[in-house]
Amino acid sequence: MNRKPLASNAFYILPLGSIRPTGWLRDQLLIQTNGLGGHLDETWPDVGPNSGWLGGTGESWERGPYFLDGLVPLAYQLDDARLKAKAQKFIDWTLEHQAANGMIGPRSNDDWWPRMVMLKALAQYEEATGDPRVIPVLSRYFSYQLENLPRRPLRDWGKFRWQDNALVAIWLYNRTGDAKLIELVRLLHSQGHDWQKQYADFKFTAPVTPEAIKLNDAGGLGGGGLGDLALSTHGVNNGQALKAAPVWSLVTNSDEDRRGFGLMLAALDKYHGLPNGMFSCDEHFAGRNPSQGSELCTVVETMFSLEESLAVLGDAAIGDRLEKLAFNALPGTFTDDMWAHQYNQESNQVEVSLHRKPWTTDGPESNLFGLEPNFGCCTANFHQGWPKFTASLWMASSDDGLVAAAYSPCEVRTRVRGTAVTVAEETEYPFRGTVRIRVNPATESAFPLRLRIPEWAEGAVLNVNGQAEEAPVKGTFAKIERKWKRGDVVELKMPLRPRVSRGFNDSVSIERGSLVFSFPIGEDWVKLRDRGMTADWQVFPSSQWNYALAVDEQAIDVREATVGKVPFALKDAPVKLELEARKLPSWRAVDGVADPVPQSPVSSEEPKERIALAPYAAAKLRITAFPEVKA
Ligand SMILES: [Zn+2]
């Protein structure tokens, strides 16, 4: 519960460790653990033993904290002693080396930004462990910040990411009630970039160019990428900023601030939205052409913003978007074993190579799968994606009940109205539409349980112990009020009908539930170079891809198969869709980049074919936005 005078959240994220992954989600977190997620420090010096965040002389900026921000939740959700020990070294160094004035982190820089990330890691660690050192360290640091911000104000990254700092100040205020923390949040807001103003009159409606944002003008507004124009149009900044208005609304209790989230997301979708649920950012705004890229940091930061915004606002549509990113854009940008990732992924990605690419500002390696393609930020930052999603599956409601905010197999251990309650969620969602929830209170206990009904889940059916509840309404949270007893079972059946969405140039994309589907292009993987324990890869197409779809939702066949140990693998994909298509020979690629999807409808004299689409994330070379062929 938020402490007065803060406004109430609709929902509250449960303390880290309350939710444990099971089923396919546990398999996915184990893949992360057995891949780069659990080994990065062994092969990448930037978070290795010489890290500045371990007292060394190595990287001393954002990379250590980024790694921790995902390693801490991963370690505690899996209760993995090896991962906990890795995280503990960084945590202990930070807690034990606070300066007398309250400053934390490496002495070699005093940048506010990397410390904002470490604050998030420390708060999660405190929730999981109750380590009594954390709250005093945070209190002293925030006092230092309040005293020093007036003479050393936020600049560049920190100025554009102030809301992440504010989020942890609010977290601490809820624990200590120190009114100075609200003062600090107000100061951060006043020094930070005014995101709501940017979106009240949104000017960046076209793909940006380096010239337009003065990227290379060291003395000008671009400031070598650190000027206001460059930072305003930077993908990661905007992904993080989606939570700015909701976070600020806790201080103001203003509906206008609460509406800021929806206005921002709508503008991003309208001008830069892509069929995978992301906005283009390679690494600045790049328009709606599905050959443009999205940076992995932006994917995971947008997910975190959606999780926090869903908690504050309680809007079911935010959960829909969160799942769309978690089940498509997130896994789609990793190799199956999570030993390699891309900096930029494309919805229409016909080649992964060193060929010239259409990026607004990124370099030629940006869509390779590798250790640190283009730049190492994503290498350090991706770890938070799956664990924070796991931590957000269930929330507490402000009326002291439970909320199924997003769906995946998991177990919850928490207290509701003073009673210990465990919840076991059994499901193969998003590959299947049925979610079974076993509610086990220690003693009979009355509380509301809410379930998110996605906007696409027309005709969903809700049962408790086999008895039908009132038909749930799509796009809302269905609420069940009852006295819960051990063994109660809630079952939600969501119909997963294939459906068509439209995008750039009236192109069509096929979705089913929260999965987006793509045509999987034949893949020819070619190792570019070894990189310690991993490697960098190019992927070349070994089949044609230039199909136009004949769209008839009724004529799409669904083929389901067992969900395997690698849930998003292409081989034995858990679900495929078959539908009619025709080749469109005039649609070509130049230098490994698909031409912008042609304006629909198109005509084709080529013969009809039935093609199979796979989950977006399974197809590492893919077409997701297709031209529609005339019947
Ligand atoms: Zn990045």
Side-chain angles (χ1 to χ4, degrees), residues 295 297 343 377-378:
E295 184 189 335
C297 280
Y343 192 88
C377 51
C378 308

Coordinates of all heavy atoms in Angstrom, one line a residue, residues 295 297 343 377-378, ligand 1:
E295 N 15.6 -2.0 -30.4 CA 16.8 -2.4 -29.6 C 16.3 -3.2 -28.4 O 15.3 -2.9 -27.8 CB 17.5 -1.1 -29.1 CG 18.8 -1.4 -28.3 CD 19.4 -0.2 -27.6 OE1 19.1 0.9 -28.1 OE2 20.1 -0.4 -26.6
C297 N 17.5 -3.4 -25.3 CA 17.3 -2.7 -24.1 C 15.9 -2.0 -24.1 O 15.3 -1.9 -23.0 CB 18.3 -1.5 -24.0 SG 19.9 -2.0 -23.4
Y343 N 21.2 -6.7 -31.0 CA 20.9 -5.4 -30.5 C 19.6 -4.9 -31.1 O 18.7 -4.5 -30.4 CB 22.1 -4.5 -31.0 CG 22.1 -3.1 -30.4 CD1 22.8 -2.9 -29.2 CD2 21.5 -2.0 -31.0 CE1 22.9 -1.6 -28.7 CE2 21.6 -0.7 -30.5 CZ 22.3 -0.6 -29.3 OH 22.4 0.7 -28.7
C377 N 25.4 -2.5 -24.2 CA 24.4 -2.1 -23.2 C 23.4 -3.3 -23.0 O 23.0 -3.7 -21.9 CB 23.6 -0.8 -23.5 SG 23.0 -0.8 -25.2
C378 N 22.9 -3.8 -24.2 CA 21.9 -4.9 -24.1 C 22.4 -6.1 -23.5 O 21.7 -6.9 -22.8 CB 21.3 -5.2 -25.5 SG 20.8 -3.8 -26.5
Ligands
ZN1 ZN 21.0 -1.8 -25.5

